[in-house]
Amino acid sequence: LRRTPEVQLGSPTTIFADLGWFEGATRLEVFVNGASVFSTTDENNDSFTIGKEQLNIWGTNTLKLKSDNGMEQMAQIKYPDFVFTATQGNRDSIIVEWNTLEYVVQAYSIRRRAANTADAFVEVAFVSDTTRWADTSEETLIGEFEYTIMPLLVNNEEAGPQPAAVVGYRAQDIARPITITPTEHGTVTSDKPTARYGETVTLTITPAEGYAFEQLTVLDGETDIPVSTPAEGTYTFTMPAADVVVSATFKAINYTVTTASVENGTLSADKQTAHYGDIVTLTITPATGYELDQLQVLDGGTDIPVSTTAEGTCTFIMPAANVTVSATFKAINYTVTTASVENGTLTADKQTAHYGDIVTLTITPATGYELDQLQVLDGGTDIPVSTTAEGTCTFIMPAANVTVSATFKAINYTITTASAEHGTISPDKPTAHYGDLVTLIVTPAIGYEFDQLIVMDGEMAVDVVKIAEGTYTFTMPANDVAVSATFNALDYSITISRIAGSGSVRADKPMAHYGETIMLTVTPAEGYELGELHVIEGDMEVSVSHIEDDDYTFAMPAGNVVISAIFKVKTGVEDTPVTDITPRKVLRAGQVLILRGGKTYTLTGDEVQMEF
């Protein structure tokens, strides 16, 4: 198909087209709209004609050239578009309109029949020089009709086959559709799917949960139809003489989130209003020493579930209602743990306490011990402690568990030795702990002997044990002690021993203490004089001093003394030697002399009376 002409209304009844042969083909056949219209085996035949009756003048025509060796070629023939419409719902008439066709169209035949029937179309108008016609006949007041238009050529020849019909109708008694546009967050329903002109249509509008009705639109084309509201959620309108489209919009309701006033903590929400289904985050902050006791979200009297997302943070899904959020906090019971102690006791007046409570500790050292260190720890932090009375301390409970510990140390009690006369007291230590054994060394001064040892704990006497001569012990009480001792002067004897010769020796006392001065009166007999005077203490001779005349003195030593004297005849008197006189008592003028063997004494005269 080397050339296919443009087809115009009013063209000749035949159409010529050029034809070319395929190489190797012996037969060609032409199809129009699927129907065979021409065939040839003559290679010299290079054209063919098509009658207009074989063409679709209201659309596109498809031509196909096919050879016997399987070769094909396609081409198209198209008439100009012819479009016409009929109005629907116009109250006064049914208006038929079409587009202009140029070329040789002389007039238009407008034909009509009842819709949805097989009746023949009847011409109801013949017009020229216009593209619009109004059907105002009374029979169109009720019902629907189909309209078709036939373009007429010269001599009123029809331009082609009958074009497809269109439907038109007037307002009365036509049930027109009510289209509900799909919407979100709610539903719109009509009490009827179609309605006739003037009928009342009732719409029911139901918002989805959490949403409120916002706007309702009823349109007749682009024209708003007035709507009435007889009741909540119910709307009505009067059906126009046209199809209507109903649409509605809904908006999310802003529900309030009210947080109640709380004590001992804070409660806040991340939003004051929320939509149904929103996530609302609550921040709960207990005051120091408190913890959350109860969290409640109420929709009226209904509890709303709450989820914990993190420490101090909770969430809930907003219901389709206003909510009130409340919280209560309770004081935390922190534990007071008293550690085990030695050498004393440690107790607290409570095992648990709230933040800010006063906790009283009672510290009782064992006998002989005193508190060394008291510590209250919150983890690794020292809590200050105040002393309220002997053995009683207090601290303010922190916002944490605490551990209380104490250590005790032995008290160093002093041992005070009082200054003693005539002796010394020496403890083996200046201080001692309760229960220690204390040793005392008691040493009398010369000429004295130990009398009494006293260890006093305040006004209480402490038992003392003698473990050896001059050595004593006592068990240290839980107090300072004072040690004192008394010593007694020793009474040493003064003995007048053997008196050799005539005379006497007399001491001013028979007994004396160490250091006392002893007066001796030495009286020779007539014609005699003192030859020797001796004071002996043990193996030691005591020094004797001549005071005057017959008076002599000596200092009493720390021991018994024996006094002896030898009188000799004054010059011119015969001496009688006496050798190896055994000890004996010689009495003369009331004096006693001690005579010792191995010494030589001289007795003068016959005035000495000796008793053996």
Side-chain angles (χ1 to χ4, degrees):
L1 298 171
R2 294 189 298 238
R3 183 176 67 87
T4 53
E6 292 184 0
V7 181
Q8 300 177 353
L9 290 179
S11 295
T13 56
T14 57
I15 296 173
F16 298 90
D18 292 337
L19 183 66
W21 281 78
F22 296 115
E23 185 178 356
T26 60
R27 184 177 182 277
L28 296 178
E29 188 174 7
V30 177
F31 295 86
V32 176
N33 296 328
S36 178
V37 297
F38 171 78
S39 66
T40 182
T41 58
D42 185 0
E43 292 185 6
N44 296 318
N45 191 351
D46 59 1
S47 65
F48 66 94
T49 61
I50 306 171
K52 285 173 38 177
E53 68 275 3
Q54 296 171 307
L55 298 174
N56 177 15
I57 67 171
W58 309 123
T60 300
N61 297 273
T62 302
L63 279 66
K64 180 170 70 171
L65 176 63
K66 185 176 182 182
S67 66
D68 58 351
N69 63 352
M71 302 290 287
E72 291 184 357
Q73 186 180 4
M74 304 291 290
Q76 288 186 338
I77 298 174
K78 186 178 186 303
Y79 278 85
D81 292 330
F82 181 54
V83 179
F84 53 94
T85 60
T87 58
Q88 300 175 346
N90 187 44
R91 294 187 61 188
D92 300 324
S93 63
I94 299 172
I95 298 172
V96 181
E97 293 182 280
W98 60 93
N99 64 304
T100 301
L101 290 174
E102 298 180 357
Y103 314 111
V104 292
V105 174
Q106 300 296 311
Y108 298 93
S109 173
I110 302 172
R111 301 165 186 178
R112 184 186 70 195
R113 72 177 179 186
N116 302 316
T117 67
D119 297 347
F121 281 97
V122 176
E123 184 178 87
V124 291
F126 180 88
V127 297
S128 61
D129 300 327
T130 184
T131 58
R132 186 176 188 275
W133 175 73
D135 189 351
T136 58
S137 58
E138 290 186 1
E139 57 263 35
T140 60
L141 289 174
I142 297 174
E144 296 182 351
F145 296 88
E146 294 177 354
Y147 291 85
T148 184
I149 300 174
M150 175 59 72
L152 301 176
L153 305 177
V154 178
N155 299 323
N156 292 330
E157 178 186 356
E158 292 183 353
Q162 183 74 49
V166 295
V167 175
Y169 53 83
R170 292 172 72 172
Q172 288 82 349
D173 286 339
I174 301 301
R176 293 171 170 77
I178 301 168
T179 302
I180 308 294
T181 302
T183 186
E184 292 183 343
H185 313 306
T187 61
V188 181
T189 58
S190 173
D191 64 339
K192 51 180 70 76
T194 61
R196 299 180 185 278
Y197 172 77
E199 281 189 320
T200 297
V201 179
T202 300
L203 301 174
T204 301
I205 297 178
T206 307
E209 190 171 19
Y211 286 81
F213 169 66
E214 183 177 30
Q215 186 177 24
L216 175 66
T217 303
V218 180
L219 288 178
D220 164 10
E222 295 183 357
T223 302
D224 276 311
I225 305 301
V227 179
S228 300
T229 308
E232 181 69 27
T234 301
Y235 300 81
T236 61
F237 67 91
T238 301
M239 189 69 181
D243 298 348
V244 295
V245 177
V246 180
S247 62
T249 57
F250 300 88
K251 63 181 178 181
I253 300 173
N254 284 326
Y255 295 107
T256 60
V257 180
T258 302
T259 53
S261 177
V262 298
E263 293 182 349
N264 305 315
T266 61
L267 170 64
S268 62
D270 66 338
K271 47 183 72 80
Q272 292 179 317
T273 61
H275 300 153
Y276 170 73
D278 282 355
I279 301 296
V280 180
T281 300
L282 303 174
T283 300
I284 304 101
T285 307
T288 303
Y290 286 82
E291 63 184 353
L292 179 65
D293 183 23
Q294 186 178 32
L295 177 66
Q296 193 172 45
V297 180
L298 284 178
D299 158 14
T302 303
D303 272 309
I304 305 302
V306 178
S307 300
T308 300
T309 56
E311 182 67 27
T313 304
C314 297
T315 61
F316 67 90
I317 298 173
M318 191 69 184
N322 298 327
V323 297
T324 299
V325 184
S326 61
T328 57
F329 299 90
K330 63 181 179 181
I332 300 173
N333 285 324
Y334 296 108
T335 59
V336 180
T337 302
T338 52
S340 177
V341 298
E342 294 182 349
N343 304 315
T345 60
L346 171 63
T347 59
D349 66 339
K350 45 182 73 79
Q351 292 179 317
T352 61
H354 299 154
Y355 169 74
D357 282 356
I358 302 296
V359 180
T360 300
L361 302 174
T362 301
I363 303 102
T364 307
T367 303
Y369 286 82
E370 64 184 353
L371 180 65
D372 183 22
Q373 186 179 31
L374 177 65
Q375 192 172 46
V376 180
L377 284 178
D378 157 14
T381 303
D382 272 308
I383 304 303
V385 178
S386 301
T387 301
T388 55
E390 182 67 29
T392 303
C393 296
T394 61
F395 67 91
I396 299 173
M397 192 67 182
N401 300 326
V402 297
T403 300
V404 185
S405 60
T407 56
F408 299 89
K409 62 181 179 181
I411 300 173
N412 285 323
Y413 295 110
T414 59
I415 301 169
T416 302
T417 54
S419 179
E421 292 183 353
H422 313 305
T424 61
I425 310 167
S426 300
D428 64 341
K429 50 182 76 77
T431 61
H433 299 155
Y434 169 75
D436 283 356
L437 191 65
V438 181
T439 300
L440 301 174
I441 304 298
V442 181
T443 306
I446 296 174
Y448 286 83
E449 65 180 353
F450 170 66
D451 178 31
Q452 188 178 22
L453 179 63
I454 301 172
V455 180
M456 295 297 293
D457 164 9
E459 296 183 356
M460 297 290 294
V462 178
D463 291 336
V464 179
V465 177
K466 180 178 181 181
I467 60 172
E469 187 65 35
T471 303
Y472 299 84
T473 62
F474 68 90
T475 300
M476 192 69 184
N479 214 336
D480 297 336
V481 296
V483 182
S484 63
T486 58
F487 300 91
N488 292 329
L490 291 171
D491 287 326
Y492 296 110
S493 63
I494 302 171
T495 302
I496 305 297
S497 184
R498 179 176 168 183
I499 301 299
S502 297
S504 64
V505 177
R506 181 174 57 84
D508 62 346
K509 57 186 70 164
M511 305 287 287
H513 299 153
Y514 169 76
E516 282 190 274
T517 298
I518 307 301
M519 180 70 72
L520 297 176
T521 302
V522 179
T523 307
E526 185 76 26
Y528 285 81
E529 63 181 355
L530 179 64
E532 295 179 22
L533 179 62
H534 299 282
V535 178
I536 304 299
E537 186 266 309
D539 292 333
M540 300 292 294
E541 184 155 356
V542 179
S543 176
V544 178
S545 298
H546 182 209
I547 304 303
E548 62 180 358
D549 298 333
D550 293 335
D551 295 327
Y552 296 82
T553 63
F554 67 91
M556 189 68 183
N560 299 324
V561 296
V562 176
I563 302 172
S564 63
I566 297 175
F567 296 94
K568 63 181 180 178
V569 177
K570 291 182 178 180
T571 303
V573 178
E574 181 181 356
D575 293 332
T576 301
V578 178
T579 304
D580 296 328
I581 300 176
T582 59
R584 66 199 65 193
K585 292 182 178 179
V586 178
L587 301 176
R588 184 177 183 275
Q591 294 185 0
V592 177
L593 300 178
I594 298 175
L595 304 180
R596 293 182 177 234
K599 293 188 178 180
T600 300
Y601 297 88
T602 300
L603 301 178
T604 302
D606 55 4
E607 294 181 0
V608 176
Q609 180 181 0
M610 294 182 291
E611 294 181 1
F612 298 94

